[in-house]
Amino acid sequence: MKNIAVLGSTGSIGVQTLEIAREYANEIKITALVAHSNIELLEQQIREFMPRLVCVYDESRAKLLRDNIKDLPVRVMTGMDGIIACATAEYADMVVAAVVGMIGILPTIEAIKAGKNIALANKETLVTAGHIIMPLVKEKNVDLLPVDSEHSAIFQALNGENNKSIYKILLTASGGPFRGMKKSYLESVTAEDALKHPNWRMGPKITVDSATMINKALEVMEAAWLFNLSIDQIQVLVHHQSIIHSMVEYVDGSIIAQLGLPDMRLPIQYALFYPERRYMKLGERADFIRIKELTFEEPDMDTFYGLRLGIEAGKLGGSMPTVFNAANEWAVARFLEGKIGFMDIPRLIEEAMRSHKIIQNPSPDEILNTEKQTYDFIEEIVKS
Ligand code: NDP
Ligand code: MG
């Protein structure tokens, strides 16, 4: 039996993780669930999977949930202490880190310290704290298994090969809903337009990140940490059909790719059962006669210049990726509320990056301080 804690169980990745747990109920036991405030869905999940511990980050929502599940022997905690308790409880072997945003950093660090294997969806963790996470994973000898589809593809294409044999990574991108559009058009697009992703159904934040292509910048940084590569070894390639999830080009020119339909349950299931492969009971399978063609384009880094800024932040390193990520989190939240425009997202990130003095090897506290300072800085410039 695998004992698994799911952080972010009410989100897109969390729900799909539980679909797999349902299909493999005789092999997967859910020990803990974490959400922010969606207690209606969380209650359904609790009644189905009967974890010992849950956390609702929002205190008032947690109180309501406690009342609603009085009949069950389940402990309800709140806040960061509650998330960390769920991530470190002794009865879990693996933690699925699928909360959205920088709130995911500390629980992941604590879970690794507690010796848990990690199935990592939350990309903000490696982007901002890769220099802390990667040595810790080594020290604690735990598995860090990527859930993000591109990183799972690279991990599968590597399959034990020495990373010195890697010439480069071809990191594929769908291009999002605005592929081929120009800046003047993008100035006036709305959150509703940005949320219409052509290939993937995901949470709102990452869907907007796909539309700006900032998601790909975060993934470049994530891949550099996971596979111990320089940013220059990672080439972003627009592949509109999202069938090739990424490729590894080896020093001898050989290229190995991982392919499949765009369905996150595949990389999630791969991480949950690694190193075994299991029959996929859910969804369709790829049919190349129907797919017909796979196409490739260079990304338009002039229009989608958030991608260029992210690559620059990754090369600068230290606390700069945190500034890039925090500025993006702030801007995406305001864009989703209709308070700023789509092209304000890269504009604000650029201003925040230009005003930041880099801290090398930031500690978790310095990362969180940098996040706060970035929020304060942007709030000031948006006000003025
Ligand atoms: P969603 O927005 O769908 O879900 C986010 C989850 O995190 C929800 O369960 C939410 O709870 C919870 N959450 C948010 N804030 C807090 C908090 N303060 N405390 C506790 N829980 C919190 O996001 P996704 O599932 O799309 O993405 C999750 C992560 O995985 C992101 O980092 C994303 O970049 C990454 N990822 C996602 C992919 C996808 O296909 N969706 C693909 C690759 C990576 P509530 O519902 O109660 O608000
Ligand atoms: Mg991805």
Side-chain angles (χ1 to χ4, degrees), residues 8 14 16 35 70 76-77 86 89 97 105 108 113 123 131 158 166 183 196 202 209 247 294-295 308 313 340 343 378:
Q16 295 178 85
K70 269 201 289 264
V76 181
M77 297 183 73
C86 290
I105 301 171
T108 305
K113 283 188 186 160
K123 55 191 81 187
H131 59 289
L158 277 169
I166 302 176
K183 276 184 192 163
K196 287 184 194 135
M202 309 177 285
D209 288 350
M247 311 186 240
L294 302 175
T295 58
R308 181 169 45 72
I340 63 168
M343 291 309 289
I378 303 189

Side-chain angles (χ1 to χ4, degrees), residues 8 10-13 35-38 57 99 121-122 124 148 202-203 264:
T10 48
S12 161
I13 295 288
H36 177 233
S37 58
N38 185 352
Y57 189 77
V99 297
N122 175 286
E124 296 86 353
D148 209 339
M202 309 177 285
M264 284 309 295

